[in-house]
Amino acid sequence: MVFVLLPFLDVVKRSFTTAVTGEFSGGKNYEAIFQNQAFLLAVKNTVRFTLICIPVLVALGLGTALLLSGLKKGRLFKAVYLLPLAMPTATVTLVWKLVFYKQGFFNLFLTRLGLLTGLWGEVHREYLGTAAAFWVLVGSYIWKNMGYTVVLWLAGLSGISGEMLEAARVDGAGSWQRFWRITLPNLKGSLYTIVILSFLNSFKIYREAYLTAGAYPDQSIYLLQHLFNNWFVNLELDKMAAAAVCTGGVLMSAILALQRLWENG
């Protein structure tokens, strides 16, 4: 209540007042943000990023967990997958810059491959300053969050009764039938936790985007957090408060909708 609820209620109050004088302004701040092209662009990019990353992360994590669950030395692979979580964001960003800038390792690899095959010449494509930056950000998010996703899936898989799976196999159920009828239904709790965590973490990708391309990156990776940061720097706290209330409402609505969906599923 002290550190979350009361400060958020203060933000709600500020969303109906002016930034400088604190006078009541009604819904003018909300009207202003929904007419702001930068806000609409940031919302579009954030929604696009979330809708692409979460299904890919969930599917890849489950596939990897299914493969690791059958290995005897699974603990070593768990440590490898959790390594990105321990790496500082600044270090990860530096790695992406070294890989994807104009004279980076990725272009060097493509150049060598083209020369070996004779299919193309030197490659000097700019990634971080073009629309390709969006897919670099997607890859960074999946790489960094794959570890906890795999571990949570493995925890869910370990809770499924082996006797139940063996009985289904004896009864003639194939691998796909066992997965679809037994494994997947028993992973509903894990799926809910992973989707919620992935959804919340997708709003934290701003650090990578900001350190990679600055406060005004390519339009494809201009996210809500960029807009909030720029409004804060310009002391447009009334707009930032209104946008924060809208964002918080959407997040809460999405989480409640997912919870109801899982409870009724």
Side-chain angles (χ1 to χ4, degrees):
M1 180 178 292
V2 173
F3 295 106
V4 178
L5 183 57
L6 292 180
F8 186 74
L9 291 177
D10 182 63
V11 171
V12 174
K13 185 193 74 172
R14 290 174 182 271
S15 69
F16 291 101
T17 61
T18 59
V20 179
T21 62
E23 296 177 354
F24 181 75
S25 61
K28 291 183 178 179
N29 292 330
Y30 292 92
E31 183 180 350
I33 65 171
F34 283 108
Q35 292 177 351
N36 188 303
Q37 295 300 315
F39 177 74
L40 297 178
L41 174 65
V43 169
K44 174 187 172 183
N45 288 336
T46 303
V47 171
R48 180 189 177 206
F49 181 84
T50 301
L51 291 179
I52 290 175
C53 285
I54 292 180
V56 172
L57 178 64
V58 170
L60 283 178
L62 177 57
T64 304
L66 288 171
L67 292 174
L68 293 180
S69 62
L71 297 178
K72 294 182 179 180
K73 297 183 179 180
R75 291 185 178 179
L76 175 63
F77 289 98
K78 287 181 187 178
V80 171
Y81 275 102
L82 287 173
L83 180 62
L85 288 175
M87 295 183 66
T89 301
T91 304
V92 174
T93 304
L94 180 60
V95 171
W96 294 132
K97 284 185 175 181
L98 290 173
V99 173
F100 290 108
Y101 84 111
K102 197 170 183 179
Q103 285 79 34
F105 294 122
F106 189 63
N107 280 338
L108 179 62
F109 169 76
L110 291 178
T111 297
R112 294 288 178 87
L113 183 63
L115 293 176
L116 287 174
T117 59
L119 297 176
W120 57 78
E122 293 188 3
V123 178
H124 298 289
R125 184 180 178 184
E126 177 64 49
Y127 296 97
L128 300 179
T130 65
F134 177 82
W135 299 107
V136 174
L137 202 61
V138 168
S140 174
Y141 170 82
I142 293 173
W143 175 78
K144 190 172 181 62
N145 293 280
M146 178 69 83
Y148 79 83
T149 305
V150 171
V151 170
L152 289 175
W153 279 129
L154 286 172
L157 289 170
S158 65
I160 299 175
S161 172
E163 296 178 356
M164 186 187 304
L165 293 171
E166 181 62 23
R169 188 187 67 80
V170 172
D171 288 340
S175 299
W176 175 251
Q177 289 178 314
R178 294 198 302 272
F179 171 76
W180 189 256
R181 300 289 184 179
I182 299 176
T183 303
L184 202 56
N186 282 280
L187 291 175
K188 188 172 69 170
S190 298
L191 179 60
Y192 173 75
T193 303
I194 291 169
V195 169
I196 294 298
L197 289 176
S198 301
F199 179 63
L200 295 176
N201 284 333
S202 68
F203 283 79
K204 299 178 182 179
I205 197 65
Y206 164 72
R207 294 172 298 178
E208 286 83 350
Y210 182 83
L211 291 174
T212 300
Y216 296 94
D218 183 79
Q219 286 191 357
S220 63
I221 59 171
Y222 189 77
L223 305 174
L224 279 172
Q225 294 91 334
H226 285 98
L227 187 61
F228 287 167
N229 179 74
N230 296 334
W231 275 340
F232 180 78
V233 171
N234 296 327
L235 297 179
E236 298 181 88
L237 303 182
D238 46 0
K239 293 181 181 178
M240 188 170 68
V245 171
C246 293
T247 303
V250 170
L251 287 172
M252 182 60 67
S253 300
I255 292 174
L256 292 176
L258 285 171
Q259 184 177 2
R260 175 164 294 186
L261 179 65
W262 258 264
E263 288 175 352
N264 298 333

